[in-house]
Amino acid sequence: MGTGIGIIGVGEISSAIVQGACSSDDHPDFFLSPRNVRRSAQLARDFDRVEVCTSNQDVVDRSEHIILAVLPEQTEAVLSELSIPADRTIVSAIAGISTDTLASLLPKSPSIVRVIPLPPVRERRGVTPVYPGHSEVERFFDTLGGTVVATTEELFSTLSATTATMSSYYAFLQGIADWLVEQGWERAAAERIVRGQFAGLGNTLATTDTPFSDLVKGHETLGGLNEMLHREWMDANNHAALARSLDRIFARVSGSD
């Protein structure tokens, strides 16, 4: 994106974006909203060319592209107080708010692009979904790990739904650690063991594009322990339950529930 990027809603994801971008000397100027003043001020102290603005309108006035990262229920109230010219680009990281809904709240008709940045952008390893395609937005998020462009907003919403699986992943690891504690391990040791086991698998995902089906086969032997747990636990019923949950989440984020 251009040399001036404004951010309205400086929470965890916005912080990750700034931190990831500013890990390179060749980063754009960032203009941050003052609402979360402590977090914004810390980012301004940590990095050059990062400023805390006096108001959200000040963010808009100083920026070519504005990342919106407020809560969905705050969207209308935040945008109703702003005058956003047609020559700006709104980059919405707001879950479940469609481009049509955003357009209805932006009377001067700036460009609108939706994105789903995730925490790994902090390490420049996050793949960010984008809709619709926008060369400058894609170029910026490519520096933070890459992009995928959805051809329809419905497809974009399917990716929004899958972000709901992150806490379940950690809950799975917690379940393994809980079992170890039940067998007699101290909690700290059990969690260290599980972290070490799965950290290596995470590196495999980050450094290869091997299909998941091949990764499954590569970690199983016929009649072995991995195959046993896979078949007994991740059976057809659990696959179906996961798909049903994702269907319900998709309905929620796409507004069809």
Side-chain angles (χ1 to χ4, degrees):
M1 291 187 277
T3 57
I5 297 177
I7 299 181
I8 296 176
V10 186
E12 182 61 25
I13 290 300
S14 297
S15 296
I17 290 171
V18 174
Q19 290 163 341
C22 291
S23 64
S24 167
D25 291 335
D26 184 24
H27 67 79
D29 298 329
F30 286 99
F31 302 105
L32 309 182
S33 61
R35 175 109 184 231
N36 191 337
V37 63
R38 185 163 62 179
R39 192 187 292 264
S40 295
Q42 185 62 56
L43 290 167
R45 285 192 295 269
D46 288 345
F47 303 107
D48 66 335
R49 307 205 314 277
V50 176
E51 298 181 42
V52 183
C53 293
T54 58
S55 66
N56 286 346
Q57 187 62 53
D58 189 29
V59 173
V60 172
D61 293 343
R62 302 177 68 182
S63 309
E64 299 172 40
H65 301 80
I66 300 102
I67 296 174
L68 287 180
V70 299
L71 295 174
E73 59 269 25
Q74 297 172 332
T75 305
E76 185 172 357
V78 168
L79 292 181
S80 68
E81 297 177 349
L82 299 176
S83 176
I84 303 178
D87 63 355
R88 302 299 198 271
T89 298
I90 296 300
V91 183
S92 174
I94 306 172
I97 303 296
S98 70
T99 53
D100 285 346
T101 299
L102 288 168
S104 71
L105 300 171
L106 297 164
K108 295 185 179 179
S109 301
S111 299
I112 300 170
V113 182
R114 293 183 67 189
V115 296
I116 310 174
L118 297 174
V121 297
R122 179 177 282 111
E123 290 80 35
R124 293 181 167 240
R125 296 174 68 175
V127 178
T128 300
V130 176
Y131 175 81
H134 188 288
S135 60
E136 290 183 82
V137 174
E138 292 168 50
R139 192 176 305 118
F140 172 72
F141 282 103
D142 279 340
T143 69
L144 301 181
T147 56
V148 291
V149 178
T151 55
T152 67
E153 196 156 18
E154 183 176 27
L155 281 176
F156 179 87
S157 293
T158 64
L159 301 183
S160 185
T162 62
T163 65
T165 62
M166 289 188 288
S167 67
S168 296
Y169 170 73
Y170 286 119
F172 170 67
L173 303 187
Q174 181 184 359
I176 299 170
D178 289 345
W179 184 84
L180 287 174
V181 171
E182 291 171 3
Q183 309 314 305
W185 283 92
E186 293 293 328
R187 170 66 61 181
E191 293 200 359
R192 184 182 179 200
I193 291 165
V194 175
R195 286 175 188 270
Q197 178 178 343
F198 283 87
L201 299 182
N203 288 335
T204 298
L205 293 178
T207 57
T208 75
D209 57 2
T210 304
F212 289 134
S213 58
D214 290 346
L215 291 174
V216 171
K217 292 176 183 176
H219 287 79
E220 291 182 351
T221 55
L222 185 62
L225 302 180
N226 276 274
E227 184 194 52
M228 180 178 176
L229 183 63
H230 177 199
R231 303 306 175 199
E232 290 188 4
W233 181 70
M234 186 50 77
D235 59 10
N237 289 333
N238 276 341
H239 271 289
L242 174 60
R244 286 194 300 271
S245 291
L246 288 171
D247 285 342
R248 291 194 296 273
I249 293 166
F250 171 67
R252 179 176 169 183
V253 299
S254 63
S256 58
D257 58 352

